[in-house]
Amino acid sequence: MERALEEEPLLLAELKPGRPHQFDWKSSCETWSVAFSPDGSWFAWSQGHCIVKLIPWPLEEQFIPKGFEAKSRSKNETKGRGSPKEKTLDCGQIVWGLAFSPWPSPPSRKLWARHHPQVPDVSCLVLATGLNDGQIKIWEVQTGLLLLNLSGHQDVVRDLSFTPSGSLILVSASRDKTLRIWDLNKHGKQIQVLSGHLQWVYCCSISPDCSMLCSAAGEKSVFLWSMRSYTLIRKLEGHQSSVVSCDFSPDSALLVTASYDTNVIMWDPYTGERLRSLHHTQVDPAMDDSDVHISSLRSVCFSPEGLYLATVADDRLLRIWALELKTPIAFAPMTNGLCCTFFPHGGVIATGTRDGHVQFWTAPRVLSSLKHLCRKALRSFLTTYQVLALPIPKKMKEFLTYRTF
């Protein structure tokens, strides 16, 4: 596996909300969620006080080093519509969850217009926002217009996830202890309610191959669901405290879960096998290591090429991990971190804080080895069991199933 030089993440830029005089500044100012659009052309930021900022990416050029620009914003879009403008979405409630849709394919846009002439057009890039009152609002990114309002949850909508296939299926996770499945191609119809969690559901993540859904609640186990039948596949047990964050690798072959127990566990989602644990130990000797809550984890995410993880913990550090190592390769100091996500084309990590700030950090930029590229391509359509059934040497099977690196 090729690995980038182990350099500390550098702070590229920091965004701070303007002070709203009509609010008590200390209440509801947290940035609970940050998100990049799948094509890398927009960034969304829940900046507290019911406001979401939609910001065209890249930021002003002086903040971003050469090579980090969005690759997918087309020349036609820029010329035809003018440069995208920053937008402010007033959601009317505290915003907890954010999710961009993938770009729908042109045939689905035409189909939508033909069969739903009277229904709001969601055949565009949209942003879903999960609110404090259980509502989910769907916004058109290009115009900032509200398209749909989804009702059903009885408490805070903590997290949201679209199927990566572009089918406009949305999954929501709530403090009402349920997950709900919505079809935006059917005017936001609720098509399934997933029950079984006994505590607030903090996080939901759909595998890139759209076959599995992982949900994490204030429990020691995480649930794996089938996205085809919407039934429970298995529970993954191994954490010693509440699991609060989860993410699939880009090839769907790995699942990582982060917990208040200070550990990230890497799982094989197909077999339920626990592959390794990444323990967050104190770096600052001045801190009391006996207080486990200091290192409680808040967020974990995979890098877009699948070679790295980023984690945010309560010990005021952003950590970057290489998959094959059990200790971090880099640290960055950040205060009151709550969430993190990678830019979809790599090179940048965005983090959100309790103060309503967003910070952008440099991330490892690496050229994947041919071995990893082959593994990633094969695992995007082969399950672990299918790999184990191949007539190939044992060492090759171990590599393809991430038992070795």
Side-chain angles (χ1 to χ4, degrees), residues 53-328:
K53 283 285 188 184
L54 266 174
I55 302 171
W57 190 270
L59 300 177
E60 295 180 20
E61 291 182 7
Q62 66 264 32
F63 289 123
I64 306 298
K66 186 178 180 182
F68 291 150
E69 62 274 358
K71 299 178 182 177
S72 302
R73 190 181 298 162
S74 68
K75 294 179 181 177
N76 290 337
E77 178 185 355
T78 304
K79 289 180 181 178
R81 304 181 190 177
S83 298
K85 298 291 192 295
E86 177 181 314
K87 295 172 182 63
T88 300
L89 309 180
D90 188 349
C91 297
Q93 292 279 329
I94 297 172
V95 181
W96 292 79
L98 294 174
F100 281 98
S101 69
W103 274 101
S105 60
S108 71
R109 298 186 195 190
K110 294 176 183 176
L111 191 68
W112 175 273
R114 190 185 315 145
H115 293 287
H116 304 272
Q118 305 304 319
V119 177
D121 180 11
V122 291
S123 61
C124 51
L125 182 65
V126 301
L127 177 73
T129 55
L131 307 182
N132 200 61
D133 62 355
Q135 301 285 310
I136 301 167
K137 291 187 176 181
I138 309 295
W139 308 81
E140 182 180 3
V141 171
Q142 195 64 37
T143 63
L145 295 176
L146 180 64
L147 297 179
L148 295 169
N149 199 355
L150 311 182
S151 301
H153 282 297
Q154 304 302 308
D155 207 335
V156 170
V157 176
R158 185 64 185 85
D159 198 20
L160 296 160
S161 185
F162 277 98
T163 51
S165 63
S167 63
L168 290 178
I169 298 296
L170 175 68
V171 177
S172 55
S174 171
R175 283 187 182 176
D176 67 10
K177 305 174 187 176
T178 69
L179 297 112
R180 294 171 192 253
I181 318 292
W182 314 83
D183 188 348
L184 269 58
N185 272 323
K186 297 180 179 176
H187 202 190
K189 179 183 178 182
Q190 180 180 289
I191 57 177
Q192 195 75 31
V193 179
L194 305 182
S195 303
H197 282 294
L198 302 178
Q199 303 292 335
W200 294 350
V201 188
Y202 286 114
C203 182
C204 60
S205 180
I206 300 172
S207 61
D209 67 2
C210 300
S211 68
M212 294 173 286
L213 165 68
C214 179
S215 59
E219 302 157 354
K220 297 178 182 179
S221 60
V222 293
F223 288 15
L224 266 182
W225 310 82
S226 167
M227 280 298 289
R228 298 186 177 98
S229 62
Y230 300 122
T231 55
L232 184 65
I233 300 171
R234 65 171 53 88
K235 296 180 184 179
L236 301 176
E237 298 180 342
H239 284 290
Q240 303 304 310
S241 188
S242 299
V243 184
V244 294
S245 183
C246 57
D247 195 24
F248 282 95
S249 61
D251 59 5
S252 305
L254 296 172
L255 171 70
V256 287
T257 55
S259 167
Y260 287 160
D261 67 9
T262 75
N263 287 314
V264 167
I265 296 181
M266 191 184 304
W267 310 84
D268 184 321
Y270 295 103
T271 65
E273 184 179 350
R274 177 174 169 169
L275 301 181
R276 65 178 54 203
S277 294
L278 307 176
H279 183 59
H280 288 61
T281 55
Q282 290 298 337
V283 175
D284 184 354
M287 291 186 176
D288 182 6
D289 199 35
S290 63
D291 186 358
V292 71
H293 298 292
I294 288 178
S295 293
S296 292
L297 281 153
R298 293 289 169 180
S299 185
V300 63
C301 60
F302 264 100
S303 63
E305 81 292 318
L307 291 175
Y308 296 93
L309 296 174
T311 59
V312 169
D314 283 348
D315 62 358
R316 303 192 288 276
L317 287 173
L318 165 69
R319 289 172 172 85
I320 299 175
W321 310 72
L323 284 198
E324 76 271 26
L325 301 177
K326 292 190 176 182
T327 55

Side-chain angles (χ1 to χ4, degrees), residues 352-374:
T353 74
R354 287 190 181 277
D355 309 312
H357 298 188
V358 171
Q359 297 163 331
F360 299 98
W361 307 86
T362 56
R365 294 181 69 85
V366 62
L367 184 63
S368 300
S369 67
L370 183 58
K371 283 200 311 181
H372 177 68
L373 290 173
C374 291

